[in-house]
Amino acid sequence: MDIQSKEVINGWNLFTLKTDNVQIDILDYGATIVNLYTKNKYGEIGNVVLNYENLHDYLENPYYLGSLVGQVAGRIKDGLISIEGNEINLEKNEGNHHLHGGSYGLHNVKWESEIEKNEDFVCLKLKYIQTEERDKYPGNIEIVVNYILYSDSTFEMTYEAMSDKDTVLALTNHTYFNLNDDPSKNIFNHAVKMNSLKYLQLNNELIAEKVIDVAPGPFDFSSYKYLKEGIEAGNEQNKLVNGYDHMFLFDDKGKIEVEERSSGRKMIVSTDAPAVVMYTANDPISLNNIQAHYHLGVCFETQRVPASLWLDGLPTITLKKGERFKQSTKYEFMILD
Ligand code: GAL
């Protein structure tokens, strides 16, 4: 186990966390996962996340590749939040709505860093104070992200946050996985299973409008389903977004299993977040040496539920003044028999 850092461009640092089986490279700009190498069934190591070869591209990063997303990940209808009866208008950076924390989100700031190493794990701790002045959400919020790689090669992301005013918060990570380790191949052959019985149906502006049952049909991942099967199912909700771009609510503790059988890779994601947005890269992504293509990766954005701001009965995204927010998501990488 090891953790190292090197200065790259723009005064940014790239950190490498490593065991014999897994290597993760993380940029302090945007708290971004740049590479995540795991072994395939032949013991060969390959990168299973999408990235830009040229680190300069992370300044713009229109697809949020690998970044931490917040202050509220996802869409806020009409860019409107109401805190203790006060209405606050956030930036409308996507049509009439607010997306992924707006132009002053957490994906485009440099985070302060600290590293820790002991017998059981290596950890990169990143910290940022998001001010009310900068992003217009109420409160100054201290956010700490820990990226922890354990000796058994489990990777954990934890978030902690505290605000000096009542506010709203929903953090996530926007890594696009492609377990083929070859981003010229799409993710159609990824089989996904998760413990969710309900998902949020979208209107044509991609705003959640209703909680509905996943079954029967392409949103039912209670047993393994190839993403191809769902994307091509012809369901109106899949056609609307050209794949999946939907929030699934976990029944119990969040668990997602993903298998890519030709490489023999399997990933298990476990989280204490109440929901996940599964996004199948529905716009053509153009990466340095690869022609723009649809469905090059799949994101599992484990997070809280912004639609609770306008729909009843959903878990809240409120963060009270002085309250400590915590969230953890773990990734285990294994080889199929
Ligand atoms: C997702 C979002 C998509 C798209 C994407 C960024 O999280 O749900 O609609 O905006 O981020 O390309």
Side-chain angles (χ1 to χ4, degrees):
M1 247 183 347
D2 199 12
I3 182 163
Q4 287 182 356
S5 73
K6 64 171 180 197
E7 196 171 327
V8 282
I9 52 161
N10 304 337
W12 304 345
N13 298 289
L14 188 69
F15 297 86
T16 298
L17 288 65
K18 205 170 167 174
T19 61
D20 288 343
N21 292 313
V22 170
Q23 177 182 326
I24 305 158
D25 296 327
I26 302 166
L27 196 61
D28 53 5
Y29 185 78
T32 306
I33 311 289
V34 174
N35 297 303
L36 201 165
Y37 297 94
T38 70
K39 286 184 179 165
N40 66 12
K41 63 182 175 190
Y42 306 110
E44 300 156 346
I45 198 116
N47 189 13
V48 296
V49 303
L50 301 188
N51 61 16
Y52 304 110
E53 263 170 34
N54 187 338
L55 291 178
H56 278 287
D57 291 338
Y58 285 98
L59 256 189
E60 291 291 320
N61 196 1
Y63 314 112
Y64 304 85
L65 291 191
S67 297
L68 191 136
V69 179
Q71 182 163 325
V72 171
R75 292 179 176 79
I76 296 183
K77 188 182 177 186
D78 303 322
L80 191 67
I81 55 175
S82 169
I83 310 268
E84 303 276 318
N86 293 326
E87 294 208 327
I88 295 145
N89 288 293
L90 299 168
E91 180 195 5
K92 294 179 177 175
N93 60 322
E94 194 193 59
N96 196 39
H97 310 291
H98 178 86
L99 173 69
H100 287 340
S103 324
Y104 298 97
L106 300 167
H107 60 288
N108 63 7
V109 294
K110 186 183 162 193
W111 293 62
E112 264 175 54
S113 57
E114 204 180 297
I115 57 182
E116 187 186 335
K117 183 178 174 179
N118 62 37
E119 265 179 25
D120 305 318
F121 61 82
V122 289
C123 172
L124 169 64
K125 187 186 278 295
L126 296 171
K127 189 169 117 182
Y128 184 73
I129 297 177
Q130 178 68 294
T131 62
E132 176 164 352
E133 193 187 358
R134 186 171 177 272
D135 71 350
K136 306 294 176 247
Y137 285 84
N140 301 309
I141 308 191
E142 182 175 297
I143 303 169
V144 174
V145 184
N146 289 302
Y147 290 124
I148 308 164
L149 182 62
Y150 293 93
S151 52
D152 69 355
S153 296
T154 301
F155 179 48
E156 182 177 20
M157 297 181 192
T158 70
Y159 302 138
E160 288 167 31
M162 198 185 273
S163 171
D164 62 3
K165 278 190 190 169
D166 290 359
T167 190
V168 287
L169 180 85
L171 304 175
T172 196
N173 175 275
H174 211 285
T175 294
Y176 293 75
F177 290 94
N178 185 325
L179 301 185
N180 292 304
D181 84 46
D182 176 0
S184 66
K185 292 189 187 145
N186 67 27
I187 42 73
F188 279 9
N189 59 351
H190 287 47
V192 174
K193 182 178 162 190
M194 62 171 123
N195 60 340
S196 167
L197 293 176
K198 308 243 178 230
Y199 80 103
L200 302 187
Q201 181 180 290
L202 302 176
N203 71 15
N204 57 13
E205 294 182 1
L206 309 191
I207 297 297
E209 58 178 9
K210 205 171 164 191
V211 180
I212 58 172
D213 291 343
V214 293
F219 288 81
D220 182 5
F221 287 93
S222 55
S223 57
Y224 277 107
K225 181 178 260 117
Y226 283 106
L227 290 177
K228 177 187 168 74
E229 207 185 305
I231 291 169
E232 295 183 342
N235 176 289
E236 286 307 319
Q237 282 288 302
N238 294 120
K239 285 205 281 193
L240 174 71
V241 298
N242 185 32
Y244 293 96
D245 189 359
H246 294 80
M247 178 168 270
F248 293 79
L249 304 172
F250 292 124
D251 314 329
D252 182 13
K253 204 163 156 32
K255 186 171 179 194
I256 307 157
E257 292 168 80
V258 192
E259 296 189 358
E260 197 291 295
R261 291 164 191 165
S262 61
S263 69
R265 287 193 173 92
K266 173 171 180 159
M267 174 171 81
I268 302 182
V269 182
S270 322
T271 184
D272 56 12
V276 61
V277 173
M278 183 166 78
Y279 176 59
T280 49
N282 305 326
D283 290 320
I285 294 189
S286 147
L287 301 173
N288 297 8
N289 289 322
I290 301 153
Q291 204 196 337
H293 241 294
Y294 291 96
H295 306 125
L296 283 188
V298 52
C299 301
F300 298 101
E301 304 165 46
T302 52
Q303 61 166 96
R304 300 171 103 192
V305 184
S308 58
L309 294 170
W310 62 93
L311 297 177
D312 290 336
L314 291 170
T316 180
I317 60 166
T318 301
L319 179 66
K320 292 276 183 202
K321 174 183 170 176
E323 184 191 346
R324 184 172 292 280
F325 168 78
K326 281 190 175 184
Q327 186 175 297
S328 154
T329 302
K330 281 189 182 162
Y331 304 80
E332 290 165 80
F333 303 99
M334 42 201 70
I335 303 293
L336 294 167
D337 295 332

